[in-house]
Amino acid sequence: MTAEDHQPPARAAPAATATDVAHDGLERRRLMLSFDAFDTSHHRLWLRYAHTQAGSREAAQRIVEDACRHLLAHWEHALRRQSLTGYAWTVLKEHVAAWLAERGLRPQLAETAAFHTAVRRVLLDELRDEFAVLEGEMGLYAAIVRLPERQYDVVVLRYVLGCSEEEVADCLGFETATVRSHIRYAKRRLARELRTAPGPGTGEG
């Protein structure tokens, strides 16, 4: 007879009380309400961003749906993060990257109408040598995709999708001053790569 044979039978875990069940139900309800509120405020922008990367609305919808399912499954963990919006943005970016990698694609930014509208109407206004940039539209695209990741995100959100600096900050979980800093450095780099004179807001010229 082994030592284990002398052990008293294990006690069964106490059954959940009605109060416990009600509390768990309320907690799940609270989590769902907070997730729904987050989704409502970010879903449309996420779709627009995913569209610029995947090149089609249908692909964007699949990417965002998958990202939202992942986020919901880890919502309690997300709520404990220092920056919920920053963590959620990382989840979205990971799903975008996975979708592109599975298909051997690069971001489809240059193929989207939003990009071409932004090039002609917004970004050019903030780079001085507009003619040179127009002549090198694909060069501008190539320069944008070579930006560091955060600068790339800020440029796409600010100039391609037309978000305010405050909206970009909220989406990425940054301070507005950080967004402005990323914009300033991105514009310097774009101007340098396109061999244009630095424009307003670059801190030069």
Side-chain angles (χ1 to χ4, degrees):
M1 185 175 292
T2 66
E4 286 77 9
D5 293 328
H6 293 287
Q7 298 296 323
R11 293 183 180 180
T17 66
T19 300
D20 293 334
V21 172
H23 179 269
D24 289 345
L26 287 172
E27 182 63 16
R28 285 193 296 271
R29 174 68 172 165
R30 183 189 68 81
L31 290 172
M32 282 302 304
L33 286 173
S34 64
F35 177 81
D36 288 345
F38 178 90
D39 184 48
T40 297
S41 64
H42 290 80
H43 197 91
R44 183 170 179 271
L45 180 57
W46 279 24
L47 281 173
R48 294 174 63 212
Y49 178 84
H51 189 180
T52 67
Q53 305 304 293
S56 76
R57 182 172 300 176
E58 293 75 16
Q61 289 174 337
R62 289 196 296 272
I63 291 169
V64 172
E65 286 171 2
D66 287 345
C68 285
R69 278 195 292 270
H70 178 101
L71 192 59
L72 178 58
H74 300 85
W75 190 237
E76 288 187 86
H77 171 70
L79 291 173
R80 291 194 294 268
R81 299 301 294 260
Q82 183 175 2
S83 171
L84 170 60
T85 54
Y87 172 77
W89 184 256
T90 298
V91 169
L92 173 64
K93 291 290 296 292
E94 288 173 350
H95 280 77
V96 168
W99 189 92
L100 293 171
E102 286 170 3
R103 292 156 181 80
L105 298 174
R106 294 172 61 84
Q108 305 296 294
L109 182 63
E111 284 70 41
T112 63
F115 172 74
H116 294 286
T117 298
V119 167
R120 291 184 172 89
R121 294 184 181 177
V122 183
L123 189 52
L124 290 177
D125 291 340
E126 300 194 16
L127 295 172
R128 283 184 184 164
D129 195 345
E130 299 184 9
F131 180 77
V133 179
L134 273 174
E135 288 296 302
E137 187 171 293
M138 292 308 295
L140 176 58
Y141 163 72
I144 290 174
V145 298
R146 286 195 296 270
L147 289 171
E149 182 179 3
R150 289 311 188 191
Q151 291 181 22
Y152 174 86
D153 289 344
V154 167
V155 165
V156 172
L157 289 169
R158 179 72 180 93
Y159 295 105
V160 179
L161 300 182
C163 297
S164 68
E165 292 177 349
E166 292 74 18
E167 288 170 332
V168 176
D170 176 67
C171 184
L172 300 180
F174 292 165
E175 296 293 333
T176 303
T178 303
V179 170
R180 292 178 183 143
S181 177
H182 282 312
I183 289 172
R184 183 168 61 254
Y185 283 110
K187 286 161 64 175
R188 285 181 186 175
R189 182 163 179 162
L190 291 174
R192 184 169 61 249
E193 291 208 20
L194 294 166
R195 296 181 181 176
T196 65
T202 62
E204 300 180 13

